[in-house]
Amino acid sequence: MARVELTDLGLTFTVRHDNHITLKEFLVGRIFRNFTRPPMQVRALHGIGLQVTKGERIGIIGHNGAGKSTLLKVLAGIYRPSEGSRVVQGRISSLFDIALGFEQEANGWENIRFRCYLQGETPTSVRRKLAEIAEFSELGEFLNMPVRFYSTGMLVRLAFSIATAIDPEVLLVDEVLSAGDLAFQAKAHNRMREMMAKAQIMIMVSHDLETSMKICDRVLWLEHGTIRRLGPAEQVICEYQAWARQAQSCGESSPGGQLVAAA
């Protein structure tokens, strides 16, 4: 059974300075042998606690830089927590950065195979899905061309068609994309609704608060990498909107992440 459990989870990035040094730094270093430029640490997430069980739909909201996409990447296993624990049971399907990593000299058919393999498909399962992916993309003969000749819209169509040809248990979605023209966008939204319905658990990041309110059971409001509020979707979103209006009227800004002591 699909399950997500985060316990006191934290993530700190160590940002090392460029190896290039100025003449002044070189001279100071010659005089003071112990002179170094210590790395800077940024606390992206801190004290995150979350339990999600089968059937739940969770939304993640917050200002730019609050840690929303970072948290999704921790759930997906892209980042390892610096502290606390992460437990995710079930097959994870991630929908973010889907247009990255295409082989530019390979044609559309070859890229379908490459990317399906990266999503955990086997040669047998890819053969079963190949025609359906091609049909959904509506690229026709363009699939025989190297993708370096594709327009941005064509590339996104192909990426979306491949990425959504999955049977998710734990579905992670970051800002559902606009793919192609209006007719294709309607198809894309229908496909997303089908995937969301099939997934045992869905966790999504979106700035579209109305959609989050309609789709999600609970919403997690992140602020500077910590949980400010976690509760029923409508209640948390209304509180967030009131906070955003007040912050805008006061001219406040909300930079993401927190600097911590250098190592």
Side-chain angles (χ1 to χ4, degrees):
M1 181 180 294
R3 179 174 72 98
V4 171
E5 184 171 346
L6 307 179
T7 305
D8 201 23
L9 183 140
L11 177 65
T12 300
F13 293 111
T14 299
V15 181
R16 302 191 182 278
H17 294 285
D18 197 317
N19 290 329
H20 298 293
I21 61 174
T22 64
L23 177 61
K24 178 180 178 181
E25 289 169 337
F26 174 75
L27 294 175
V28 170
R30 292 292 297 273
I31 297 170
F32 303 101
R33 296 294 181 181
N34 293 327
F35 176 81
T36 58
R37 299 178 66 191
M40 180 176 66
Q41 292 189 323
V42 178
R43 181 175 290 164
L45 298 170
H46 178 63
I48 303 294
L50 177 66
Q51 292 186 347
V52 188
T53 57
K54 182 179 178 180
E56 284 197 283
R57 272 78 178 112
I58 306 296
I60 303 177
I61 63 174
H63 57 75
N64 290 332
K68 304 184 297 296
S69 296
T70 301
L71 179 55
L72 272 194
K73 289 177 180 177
V74 170
L75 289 169
I78 296 172
Y79 296 147
R80 293 183 62 183
S82 305
E83 56 195 48
S85 65
R86 163 197 173 273
V87 176
V88 179
Q89 294 179 350
R91 185 173 60 256
I92 300 171
S93 301
S94 305
L95 290 182
F96 43 82
D97 294 339
I98 63 171
L100 296 179
F102 275 101
E103 294 291 336
Q104 294 297 309
E105 296 302 322
N107 65 28
W109 294 109
E110 292 165 336
N111 271 289
I112 290 174
R113 293 184 176 90
F114 295 155
R115 292 176 68 85
C116 282
Y117 295 150
L118 291 175
Q119 291 177 187
E121 301 284 355
T122 65
T124 301
S125 64
V126 171
R127 281 195 296 272
R128 289 198 302 265
K129 295 182 176 182
L130 203 60
E132 191 274 334
I133 292 171
E135 181 181 356
F136 191 87
S137 73
E138 300 179 353
L139 291 175
E141 292 299 319
F142 289 106
L143 289 171
N144 297 315
M145 293 171 49
V147 299
R148 65 187 175 91
F149 295 116
Y150 286 19
S151 67
T152 301
M154 292 166 64
L155 198 62
V156 170
R157 277 183 176 223
L158 182 59
F160 184 86
S161 301
I162 299 168
T164 55
I166 50 180
D167 298 317
E169 291 180 341
V170 179
L171 178 62
L172 308 176
V173 183
D174 191 353
E175 289 299 344
V176 178
L177 71 163
S178 297
D181 56 27
L182 290 177
F184 191 83
Q185 285 183 36
K187 284 181 57 176
H189 290 153
N190 287 335
R191 172 68 70 91
M192 284 303 307
R193 281 193 288 270
E194 291 171 4
M195 288 188 64
M196 291 173 181
K198 288 190 295 184
Q200 295 183 28
I201 287 175
M202 187 195 71
I203 301 176
M204 65 177 288
V205 167
S206 179
H207 289 290
D208 185 345
L209 299 180
E210 283 192 21
T211 298
S212 296
M213 197 179 296
K214 290 176 183 177
I215 292 176
C216 299
D217 309 306
R218 291 189 292 156
V219 164
L220 185 155
W221 173 6
L222 280 180
E223 185 173 297
H224 304 302
T226 62
I227 296 178
R228 173 156 175 171
R229 190 81 167 82
L230 173 62
E234 185 174 356
Q235 184 178 340
V236 175
I237 288 173
C238 287
E239 290 181 18
Y240 176 74
Q241 289 172 322
W243 169 85
R245 286 192 295 268
Q246 183 178 6
Q248 187 175 21
S249 65
C250 296
E252 296 178 5
S253 61
S254 301
Q258 302 176 49
L259 295 180
V260 296

